[in-house]
Amino acid sequence: AMKKGRYRREKMSGLGYEDFKKVFSYFCFRTFFKNEFGQQNVQVALLSCYSNLIHPDPHEREKILQKFERYLFHARYFGASMVASETGSVIPTLGYSEENFTDEVFDELVTVVQRLVKTGERYQTMVGIEAGLNHPLFSNDRIQELIARVPSDFLGIVYDPTNLITPETASKQVEIVAVAFDKFGERI
């Protein structure tokens, strides 16, 4: 026999008893981490969702982007204000390809970042994108172009200058970092 309160809850919420238990557990679970971290004075600055955001297989890319969007939604429950990733590669397993440096691939990256930032705006969570020599976002100029094409306060740049230094530019590394802070320091 079904208990009266359980029947009423199922009728009002549209959830069965097992569904209701899952939803209730989820709400408890999501606050658990934030509370536990707070009690230990641990602050979570960002969630890492490093993935191949420009995966060449559209089906795989969609799965990756949906995962990133879930991270954007859940970041607040950990007290994180950002979810971050590198851009990825046209090679499914990542790696070096000169095709990563083409305008067409950069345009794909811009489309992906626009989508993620739009989701970030909805959930009030920043999207952090990290540059790298083997990626479509491979220089200060490309970073500046991405910022110009995705004009949102919810786009941040995870700036690790070692990812942009080559043997040829090693002697100019301080200058490269200074230029970055001059051009887009407020986004770093």
Side-chain angles (χ1 to χ4, degrees):
M2 186 180 290
K3 293 181 180 178
K4 185 178 180 181
R6 181 171 157 190
Y7 174 76
R8 184 176 299 138
R9 181 176 51 247
E10 288 181 12
K11 291 298 270 180
M12 290 175 60
S13 68
L15 298 174
Y17 181 67
E18 290 302 314
D19 293 327
F20 183 80
K21 282 190 342 187
K22 287 179 188 175
V23 169
F24 182 76
S25 296
Y26 168 75
F27 284 108
C28 293
F29 180 73
R30 73 181 197 188
T31 58
F32 172 80
F33 285 106
K34 190 173 183 181
N35 292 340
E36 282 297 309
F37 290 145
Q39 288 174 7
Q40 301 299 320
N41 292 320
V42 173
Q43 293 179 329
V44 178
L46 64 87
L47 295 183
S48 172
C49 187
Y50 277 62
S51 306
N52 191 354
L53 299 180
I54 58 163
H55 196 289
D57 179 322
H59 183 261
E60 286 301 312
R61 181 186 296 183
E62 183 59 29
K63 289 187 336 189
I64 290 166
L65 297 180
Q66 286 180 11
K67 178 181 177 183
F68 197 101
E69 289 169 331
R70 284 192 307 275
Y71 273 54
L72 288 167
F73 174 80
H74 291 290
R76 61 184 149 188
Y77 303 124
F78 291 87
S81 60
M82 178 183 280
V83 177
S85 179
E86 289 180 335
T87 60
S89 173
V90 296
I91 300 172
T93 56
L94 302 172
Y96 181 82
S97 170
E98 292 195 11
E99 188 180 346
N100 284 333
F101 311 138
T102 66
D103 289 338
E104 294 78 24
V105 172
F106 185 75
D107 289 343
E108 287 182 44
L109 172 66
V110 169
T111 300
V112 164
V113 173
Q114 287 170 333
R115 170 182 166 174
L116 295 176
V117 166
K118 184 175 180 181
T119 302
E121 289 170 344
R122 184 170 58 238
Y123 299 134
Q124 298 292 292
T125 305
M126 290 186 69
V127 173
I129 300 296
E130 185 171 357
L133 287 174
N134 297 334
H135 304 285
L137 199 62
F138 59 85
S139 69
N140 284 343
D141 289 339
R142 280 294 201 192
I143 294 170
Q144 191 171 11
E145 184 178 351
L146 178 68
I147 291 168
R149 291 179 60 185
V150 186
S152 171
D153 290 338
F154 285 88
L155 173 60
I157 301 299
V158 178
Y159 194 79
D160 179 352
T162 60
N163 285 348
L164 301 176
I165 305 297
T166 66
E168 296 78 31
T169 61
S171 64
K172 299 178 184 177
Q173 56 189 300
V174 173
E175 180 184 330
I176 291 169
V177 174
V179 167
F181 276 94
D182 184 51
K183 289 183 174 187
F184 50 84
E186 72 282 353
R187 295 298 183 95
I188 297 174

